[in-house]
Amino acid sequence: MNQNRVALVTGANRGIGLELCRQLAGAGFRTVLSSRDERLGAVAVQHLAADGIEVLYCPMDVTKRFTVDRGIDFVLGACGRLDVLYNNAGALLDEAPAPDKVAVLETTDATLLDSFQVNALGVYRVCRAAFPVMQRQGYGRIVNVTSGAGSLALMTARHPAYRISKAAANAVTRVFADQVGDADIKVNSAAPGWVRTDMGGPDAERDVETAVAGLLPLAQLPADGPNGGFFKDGQAVDW
């Protein structure tokens, strides 16, 4: 069944996004890898090809609506449909404050706005472009890769711009999930955990393969599966 499905992953030239492409393609999805930097995207595609994994590539900068719309058009032109979307593109832009400073008082407007552009508005832009396609098909699975750091129930003051923007991304999940109607469309948030990537750093708890294995089932939910939820490894996360 997956061989008839098309999956798009944003921010996929490295880390979680790249591994998502690997595992989606391995599960039989026709997979489209997208990234802001075309050179890095081409390297990622070649890296997968060297392992015998074929994916398509399209450039997409989630902070620019025209590239998002163009990317969705590319997927439809190349594949004819779009069944699965992983909104994976994200950025951790908070800088560590000086030892005698408090992060929430030192975070600049620019850091907050730039974080929102990628982590929240970027998710909204791609959902807004992909959702009508899925409505026309009567089928779709959208997975917004957010973070436990965006849980209001678990919120702390560390990395405030990242946390607040990821909480907003969870709100994007909820508003789109409320619009699915009777269509077999599921929109969920997923937390991969603290992962050993360029963002997570070498001391993170999880390897990328394990983290992505916990995200993949949300692409294959049955018609009676959850919609509008927040999950980690299949378990509900407190909002």
Side-chain angles (χ1 to χ4, degrees):
M1 181 176 178
N2 290 344
Q3 292 179 359
N4 298 318
R5 301 294 191 195
V6 176
L8 168 66
V9 185
T10 70
N13 61 279
R14 63 183 183 182
I16 290 171
L18 182 60
E19 182 62 23
L20 271 167
C21 289
R22 181 187 300 277
Q23 293 194 26
L24 284 164
F29 289 91
R30 189 174 187 190
T31 303
V32 182
L33 182 158
S34 74
S35 67
R36 179 179 59 181
D37 187 309
E38 293 189 45
R39 181 184 63 82
L40 294 178
V43 170
V45 170
Q46 292 170 2
H47 178 73
L48 292 175
D51 293 335
I53 298 170
E54 299 296 329
V55 301
L56 298 176
Y57 174 75
C58 74
M60 184 184 296
D61 181 345
V62 300
T63 69
K64 296 180 173 61
R65 182 173 181 175
F66 80 92
T67 76
V68 171
D69 293 342
R70 186 176 63 192
I72 298 300
D73 287 344
F74 169 85
V75 175
L76 295 178
C79 305
R81 58 186 296 117
L82 173 59
D83 301 288
V84 174
L85 166 64
Y86 276 90
N87 271 311
N88 172 73
L92 174 58
L93 304 177
D94 295 83
E95 295 183 3
D100 60 339
K101 302 294 183 181
V102 178
V104 294
L105 301 180
E106 297 298 318
T107 300
T108 65
D109 287 0
T111 298
L112 287 162
L113 290 170
D114 289 346
S115 297
F116 264 81
Q117 276 287 358
V118 179
N119 296 337
L121 298 180
V123 172
Y124 196 102
R125 289 184 187 100
V126 186
C127 284
R128 181 174 56 194
F131 195 77
V133 176
M134 294 178 175
Q135 285 181 307
R136 290 194 296 270
Q137 297 170 173
Y139 179 90
R141 301 291 183 265
I142 297 176
V143 185
N144 295 327
V145 181
T146 64
S147 172
S151 165
L152 295 176
L154 306 174
M155 191 70 67
T156 69
R158 191 163 182 251
H159 303 316
Y162 181 76
R163 289 179 182 276
I164 295 168
S165 59
K166 285 295 189 179
N170 283 339
V172 174
T173 293
R174 296 290 286 180
V175 298
F176 276 94
D178 189 55
Q179 292 297 308
V180 302
D182 296 329
D184 184 11
I185 300 174
K186 311 297 179 188
V187 187
N188 292 289
S189 285
W194 186 22
V195 188
R196 291 190 293 277
T197 61
D198 287 352
M199 181 185 293
D203 298 326
E205 301 168 339
R206 316 190 84 189
D207 61 79
V208 70
E209 295 83 5
T210 301
V212 168
L215 300 175
L216 205 64
L218 291 171
Q220 305 174 87
L221 290 172
D224 61 353
N227 176 52
F230 186 14
F231 300 98
K232 178 183 176 184
D233 296 334
Q235 302 300 310
V237 177
D238 288 338
W239 290 103

